[in-house]
Amino acid sequence: MATWASLGLQDSSSPLMEQLNFFHDHTLLILTMITILVGYIMGMLMFNKFTNRYLLHGQTIEIIWTVLPAIILMFIAFPSLRLLYLMDEINTPSITLKSVGHQWYWSYEYSDFLNLEFDSYMVPTNELETNGFRLLDVDNRVVLPMNNQIRILVTATDVLHSWTVPSLGVKVDATPGRLNQLNFLINRPGLFFGQCSEICGANHSFMPIVIE
């Protein structure tokens, strides 16, 4: 879960989030290199006094500064597309969970079992136990197995919601009349917290998600 003053991404709890972390660092490195190079060139332009009265065009340099950014963009695009396809891949799920967004709580159904469904509401601050997390704990947690492919089906009954668990790298819109599907694998035990990430009305901030 997110803690005070943590500016980076949350620690990954799934292989996909691990890859997303690596991709974030990879892209940030490229952006840092570009920023330093452009900053240096702008600095040199400001402070040097060289002029060339006869320079009307430079075919070679123009080719270089057109081709080079294209190559750099490819170094970002290919890993990004790879990850995009990996996130959409559905690998023979061991268990299916259906999550339905309501104003303002989630209800869950374990589709592989008969009549196994429940609602999950945020625990109000005045009913919270001493070791509970304010605005994050729920009365009924989702319990999922570790090291198993899990498929989640997400929909909503009223307005747009978004089922999001940052440490698993999972974010999927809950749209009324539409069933969205996502696949993930949890590779370590723990409590994983998330929240609705689509503004859905007055109590949008008060419909958290907890996976155990």
Side-chain angles (χ1 to χ4, degrees), residues 102-105 122 161 196 199-208:
H102 305 267
Q103 285 183 311
W104 287 273
Y105 64 96
M122 185 192 79
H161 299 279
C196 174
I199 294 175
C200 57
N203 292 337
H204 157 67
S205 310
F206 310 113
M207 44 184 300

Side-chain angles (χ1 to χ4, degrees), residues 178-190:
R178 183 186 171 97
L179 207 57
N180 287 330
Q181 173 176 263
L182 211 67
N183 191 66
F184 61 92
L185 180 142
I186 304 170
N187 61 7
R188 64 191 177 98

Side-chain angles (χ1 to χ4, degrees), residues 24-113:
H24 169 265
D25 296 345
H26 165 80
T27 311
L28 209 61
L29 191 68
I30 291 172
L31 286 176
T32 308
M33 284 159 52
I34 292 169
T35 309
I36 290 167
L37 178 67
V38 172
Y40 172 75
I41 292 168
M42 284 175 74
M44 295 307 291
L45 278 172
M46 297 277 190
F47 297 113
N48 78 27
K49 299 285 188 288
F50 300 128
T51 54
N52 185 341
R53 289 189 300 158
Y54 304 105
L55 184 65
L56 299 174
H57 63 86
Q59 205 76 48
T60 317
I61 190 69
E62 283 181 11
I63 289 169
I64 290 168
W65 72 42
T66 305
V67 172
L68 207 63
I71 293 167
I72 291 168
L73 283 175
M74 281 164 67
F75 274 97
I76 297 174
F78 287 135
S80 171
L81 286 168
R82 172 183 160 271
L83 253 177
L84 208 58
Y85 279 99
L86 274 175
M87 289 171 78
D88 262 353
E89 192 71 39
I90 301 293
N91 308 305
T92 328
S94 309
I95 188 167
T96 300
L97 174 73
K98 186 180 177 186
S99 172
V100 184
H102 305 267
Q103 285 183 311
W104 287 273
Y105 64 96
W106 295 99
S107 60
Y108 297 98
E109 300 168 20
Y110 286 86
S111 310
D112 305 294
F113 306 97

Side-chain angles (χ1 to χ4, degrees), residues 127-188:
E127 293 173 22
L128 208 58
E129 291 180 20
T130 324
N131 58 353
F133 293 108
R134 183 178 161 273
L135 302 184
L136 277 180
D137 255 322
V138 294
D139 55 359
N140 293 312
R141 292 170 176 167
V142 177
V143 179
L144 290 172
M146 202 177 82
N147 293 329
N148 278 282
Q149 290 292 342
I150 296 153
R151 172 173 57 192
I152 177 151
L153 305 171
V154 182
T155 188
T157 54
D158 35 46
V159 296
L160 289 177
H161 299 279
S162 185
W163 200 85
T164 307
V165 183
S167 60
L168 297 176
V170 171
K171 180 170 184 165
V172 57
D173 279 353
T175 313
R178 183 186 171 97
L179 207 57
N180 287 330
Q181 173 176 263
L182 211 67
N183 191 66
F184 61 92
L185 180 142
I186 304 170
N187 61 7
R188 64 191 177 98

